[in-house]
Amino acid sequence: MSCIRFNTPAQREQMRAMAPSMLTAEEAAELHPAPEVTASKIARIRILAADPNPKIRESAASNHNTPIDVFETLARDTDDGVRACVARNEYAPCDVLRMLADDPSETVRGFLAINFFVPEDTMLTLAADTSATVQRLVQWKTELASA
């Protein structure tokens, strides 16, 4: 038995007519609003940020609602993966992102280089990075932004 299906022109027309219309991102967000950020949610993020497991701390570093003081702590974490999550988080404060420009990990600096919310002075620092990979990522992002 073949798994190829042959539809008649009438069937194809009916499928097109019954297809759901696509929603814009704004319409979808309006239909499914994000829950309110509460004090208990912030408390849970703080608990995650203090967990001994670095993968759990990464979830706090990746969160859009992480408080500034927690971002600052996570930017100094001993685990490269946690710092990389801070570096690529577009909601991380600029001062926290600046802290990561001289990070010992090339991976962290690479993620920082492709974050579109990194301040210009930090991008200039990364453009002169000792790592050719980081320099290429800065160049790639610059070309992408100007395209």
Side-chain angles (χ1 to χ4, degrees), residues 3 8 18 23 27 38 51 57 65 71 76 79 87 90-92 95 104 117 126 135 140 142 146:
C3 61
T8 66
M18 297 184 75
L23 298 176
E27 291 169 331
T38 62
D51 196 274
R57 294 194 308 275
N65 300 301
F71 269 130
R76 291 187 293 272
D79 187 82
E90 59 191 42
Y91 291 90
D95 288 338
F117 295 89
L126 294 171
Q135 289 178 13
W140 172 79
T142 303
S146 63

Side-chain angles (χ1 to χ4, degrees), residues 48-109:
L48 295 174
D51 196 274
N53 184 338
K55 293 298 182 189
I56 302 296
R57 294 194 308 275
E58 284 180 18
S59 69
S62 299
N63 197 292
H64 297 246
N65 300 301
T66 300
I68 293 172
D69 64 308
V70 175
F71 269 130
E72 290 169 349
T73 301
L74 293 171
R76 291 187 293 272
D77 198 279
T78 57
D79 187 82
D80 293 356
V82 174
R83 295 191 316 276
C85 287
V86 173
R88 66 182 179 210
N89 190 329
E90 59 191 42
Y91 291 90
C94 290
D95 288 338
V96 172
L97 296 175
R98 281 185 182 101
M99 291 170 55
L100 296 170
D102 296 319
D103 195 274
S105 169
E106 178 185 60
T107 302
V108 172
R109 296 190 318 274

Side-chain angles (χ1 to χ4, degrees), residues 36-48 65:
E36 190 178 323
V37 178
T38 62
S40 65
K41 179 173 180 91
I42 299 301
R44 287 191 301 275
I45 292 171
R46 289 182 184 283
I47 291 168
L48 295 174
N65 300 301

Side-chain angles (χ1 to χ4, degrees), residues 129-142:
D129 197 275
T130 56
S131 164
T133 301
V134 173
Q135 289 178 13
R136 283 193 304 269
L137 288 169
V138 170
Q139 182 181 3
W140 172 79
K141 184 174 106 177
T142 303

